[in-house]
Amino acid sequence: FSYEDENVRFKVSSLGMSVTQYELKDYSDRKGKPINLTPTDQGLFEMQWDSQKLTIPFSIKQPEPGVFVGTAKIGSIEIERKMTYHPGGYYFTQEVKFLNPQSLVGQFSFTSFDKVLVPESTSWLFPSYEHQDFLTFVGDKNELINTSRATEDVKQSVKAINLYSLGTQYFTVGFLDKSEILPDLSIVA
């Protein structure tokens, strides 16, 4: 399914019910290209199942513009996921319901993919102003993980997060969890 208004355009994929090709129309990068918040083939908030991270296939309907309702089934567990786009704030809210959860064996996860930003300039005279950071909050504790200055691959896990965000220059993709179950975050860059 596709959505487009005067400010953004994006698609919702049936694979994991993720947001893909999320483009901000009124903003551009230093090269004049529109800002794309999903620069990989996988999208934002892809729902996966089990430790093997199998992408869940959803059947999606769009009852009204900006509202997407998906259903999926894994064994006897039925999943209903509703994502609503709020154009005034450029954000999504979502609800996930599990029917027959007593037969749940395994783990669900939400994954957001992004390419690691490689600074174009390393000169001290003309430094790069492009940076990429992960920010996580666990209760009152926060942690900043900068991947722009990493000299080797970053692999890090954070337990029971309330909020995570990935910021590149002026734009941030974030995930705020208000449920009673706090998810874990794995960062691989």
Side-chain angles (χ1 to χ4, degrees):
F1 285 91
S2 296
Y3 175 88
E4 185 168 355
D5 63 22
E6 62 276 0
N7 299 314
V8 301
R9 77 171 55 99
F10 62 83
K11 293 183 178 181
V12 176
S13 170
S14 63
L15 294 175
M17 200 169 163
S18 63
V19 177
T20 63
Q21 300 175 24
Y22 187 7
E23 186 177 289
L24 303 175
K25 294 180 177 181
D26 292 340
Y27 299 94
S28 59
D29 62 16
R30 296 188 191 282
K31 295 179 180 176
K33 294 181 183 176
I35 297 293
N36 184 349
L37 297 177
T38 53
T40 65
D41 291 338
Q42 294 102 339
L44 301 172
F45 319 121
E46 181 177 288
M47 194 167 182
Q48 298 174 338
W49 164 248
D50 217 357
S51 61
Q52 299 165 354
K53 304 241 183 236
L54 304 171
T55 302
I56 300 171
F58 279 86
S59 174
I60 301 175
K61 295 179 182 174
Q62 188 175 9
E64 58 187 273
V67 177
F68 305 89
V69 178
T71 55
K73 193 167 185 174
I74 296 178
S76 61
I77 301 168
E78 295 180 41
I79 305 164
E80 182 179 298
R81 184 175 178 191
K82 179 181 179 183
M83 283 196 316
T84 305
Y85 176 67
H86 302 274
Y90 296 87
Y91 70 94
F92 294 87
T93 54
Q94 64 177 319
E95 297 174 34
V96 179
K97 295 179 185 175
F98 296 96
L99 305 173
N100 198 15
Q102 63 274 14
S103 62
L104 178 65
V105 177
Q107 178 179 337
F108 290 92
S109 62
F110 293 96
T111 306
S112 291
F113 298 89
D114 200 353
K115 290 182 180 178
V116 172
L117 177 69
V118 178
E120 292 184 14
S121 174
T122 57
S123 165
W124 66 271
L125 188 56
F126 295 104
S128 176
Y129 294 102
E130 297 172 338
H131 297 285
Q132 185 176 46
D133 301 298
F134 288 92
L135 178 64
T136 63
F137 281 87
V138 179
D140 294 333
K141 179 185 166 202
N142 65 61
E143 182 174 359
L144 180 65
I145 303 162
N146 183 299
T147 58
S148 302
R149 295 187 179 109
T151 55
E152 56 188 48
D153 291 347
V154 175
K155 292 183 181 177
Q156 190 165 345
S157 294
V158 183
K159 298 281 186 194
I161 64 163
N162 305 87
L163 169 105
Y164 101 86
S165 67
L166 169 61
T168 304
Q169 283 193 296
Y170 307 109
F171 301 96
T172 300
V173 172
F175 183 86
L176 174 63
D177 188 343
K178 294 182 178 181
S179 72
E180 295 174 9
I181 303 170
L182 295 177
D184 296 343
L185 172 68
S186 295
I187 299 170
V188 179

